[in-house]
Each structure stands twice: as structure tokens, then as C-alpha cells.
Amino acid sequence: MSVTTSARRTAGAALAAALLTGTLAAPAAVAGTTDTAASTPVAATSTTATTSTTATTGTTATTGTTAATTVFADDFESGTVANWTRQRVDGNGSITAPAAPAGGSGLAARFSVPNDGASYRSEVAVNALGWGAYRFALADYLPADWVQTSTETIVAQWHGYPLSDGSDTKPPIALTVKDGNWRLKVHWLTGPTTVAEAVIPLGTVQFGHWNQWAFDITWSTDSTPGAITVYRDGVQVGAHSGLNNYHQNQAPYFKTGIYRANWNPAKGISYPTGGPDVVLYSDSVVVTRY
């Protein structure tokens, strides 16, 4: 890692420290099943104490009465994405780990998908980490020349598994960009193969800016409600309470990168091709279990 500290990595380090120091409140289950969205961002506040500020994989700290354990982390300083369980490129895109943009120091993951009529995915994934309560923190950067479009782009998602009839389905939780706006989409079952959806607006995208995200997720079960709280740059921007997955044998697994479903040639959806590649940078991924 470079000895030079950029504004992005300073913010990232502060967020990583906040995961265990309680600067952002630890995730907790929320009673009830009402879908909610924060209409006005509110500052995240601390409700816990801590005995450690370490944020390396496998480290355990005590935050109030809650033990917090970092179960996955990658800052891409290895120059690879080898820490991730899977890497997938559909079409002619790429996944690399070059120097971070925007004057940042060190390395970051770079995902690209060309608009060539054949490409639609460039992602990395880590296997399911189990049920319970987690904080997923990461930084991402959408370049200033990002082409705004009504074609939805998933940039982070928590994915499930085929349904009882063998059909694939939408990710239980997805962070998306559409028409220059951030959105969180949440899906759950209302029948064996019937999927319900909540769309939660998260604000306008600031292009050419490193976003510091934290997603507090308590997975719902057949007998308990779940909860999601979303922070961007230390400010709460959205929330959802109630069902938030398909209650399958395994918890959803985490992916980040670029996925444009409507560009999949198998869907037969026509769209204008040409123009610049879709590019996203990701960095400072830390997953903490509570």
C-alpha cells in the first residue's frame, strides 16, 4: 500500500474504524414488517461502546454487548481479486486492480463492460457468510463520464438461489443506478415462486466521487423480521424493515461490480450500442458480523 494517504483512503479508514468503534450504530433486528425509506438523511450516531479498533479479517471486538467480527475484507492492494470466491465476466469486459482514480493512492478494483451488444456483466462474489446481522462496508467510484441511462445498473447485490420450481430470480437486495439516481431494491417471496419488491430511493449520484457505503443487514427468517439500514458517506440515506430474502437453505451471497441485465443478449432487448465502456471502481470492502 502506498504511504501517501488520499482523501478517499482517509475516509475509508475512518469508516472501517467506525465499524468497530460504534461511530455508526451496530445493526439490530427491527420488529414489524413495514417497508420504510428515509425521506430526509439523518446523521448516523453512536449507541455503543467498544474495546478495539482493529479491522482485519477474523478480528473480534466487543461493541457494547455485541461481539463484532470481521469475516471478509479486501482493499485490492494485492493487485488482484484473488480473495474473492468467484469472478465472472459475461462478454468482453474485464476485472483489474489498477491505481485508484481521482488522485487516490494505492489500488482499487476496476470493472468494465463495453457497450458492444454482447457484454453485460463484470463482477466478483464471495460465498454466503451465514444468517444473522452484518455490516457490509465498501467504497465505490463512478467516473465523471458515466453515461446516465434508464437502463438499470446493479453495482452491488446480495444474491439468492433458484426457487422451488428451478427458476432463477431477482437478488434479494441490490444497490442500483438508474437515471443518475441511487436505488436500493429489496425482494422477498409472497408464495413459492411469487416475488414482491420494494424500491427505496437513496439520492442523486455524485459522479467522479468516492462513495463510502455501509449496509447494516439483519436477515429475516421464517419466524423473525429483518432490517436494512443504508449509510452513504456517514449519513443514513435509506431503510427497510420486514422480509428481505427468500428464506432458502443458505443466506444470500455478496457480489460487487457491474451487471446490466437488459444488455444480456439472451433477453432479446434492443438498445443503442457504441459509446464508452461502463466503468466502476470498488475498494475497501469490509464485512463485519455482529
Side-chain angles (χ1 to χ4, degrees):
M1 179 181 293
S2 168
V3 296
T4 302
T5 303
S6 65
R8 172 182 60 83
R9 289 195 179 275
T10 299
L15 179 59
L19 304 181
L20 297 181
T21 61
T23 303
L24 297 180
V30 175
T33 57
T34 302
D35 300 333
T36 61
S39 57
T40 303
V42 295
T45 57
S46 173
T47 58
T48 56
T50 185
T51 59
S52 172
T53 59
T54 307
T56 55
T57 302
T59 299
T60 301
T62 301
T63 306
T65 59
T66 304
T69 302
T70 301
V71 294
F72 180 81
D74 194 5
D75 60 7
F76 303 102
E77 293 305 312
S78 67
T80 72
V81 292
N83 284 348
W84 297 78
T85 311
R86 284 165 283 173
Q87 305 88 41
R88 180 170 173 178
V89 174
D90 287 305
N92 303 305
S94 64
I95 304 172
T96 57
S105 65
L107 308 180
R110 181 184 186 273
F111 304 89
S112 71
V113 174
N115 185 1
D116 57 7
S119 305
Y120 60 97
R121 185 202 309 267
S122 177
E123 292 180 307
V124 293
V126 62
N127 281 348
L129 298 168
W131 300 104
Y134 292 83
R135 172 166 286 144
F136 292 81
L138 70 148
D140 63 22
Y141 177 92
L142 279 62
D145 61 358
W146 177 284
V147 177
Q148 297 188 40
T149 173
S150 60
T151 299
E152 193 158 50
T153 306
I154 296 177
V155 300
Q157 58 177 303
W158 292 258
H159 210 285
Y161 310 90
L163 298 180
S164 59
D165 62 356
S167 63
D168 201 357
T169 191
K170 298 176 180 180
I173 305 172
L175 174 66
T176 78
V177 177
K178 183 176 183 180
D179 293 323
N181 295 300
W182 293 110
R183 308 202 305 173
L184 190 75
K185 301 181 78 172
V186 185
H187 300 101
W188 63 94
L189 292 178
T190 58
T193 58
T194 304
V195 177
E197 176 181 276
V199 180
I200 302 161
L202 300 179
T204 304
V205 176
Q206 183 179 351
F207 297 98
H209 166 76
W210 277 100
N211 304 281
Q212 307 293 332
W213 294 99
F215 300 86
D216 288 349
I217 300 175
T218 298
W219 294 115
S220 64
T221 69
D222 289 332
S223 58
T224 60
I228 307 168
T229 305
V230 184
Y231 301 91
R232 187 179 71 249
D233 297 336
V235 176
Q236 182 180 327
V237 291
H240 169 90
S241 61
L243 303 181
N244 58 25
N245 68 92
Y246 304 128
H247 301 165
Q248 297 174 304
N249 291 334
Q250 296 186 74
Y253 60 95
F254 177 65
K255 305 167 70 175
T256 188
I258 297 169
Y259 178 54
R260 282 196 170 173
N262 286 357
W263 281 12
N264 183 347
K267 293 184 178 292
I269 301 172
S270 63
Y271 61 92
T273 57
D277 294 358
V278 183
V279 173
L280 168 80
Y281 291 85
S282 183
D283 203 1
S284 304
V285 180
V286 179
V287 184
T288 307
R289 181 171 56 215
Y290 289 86

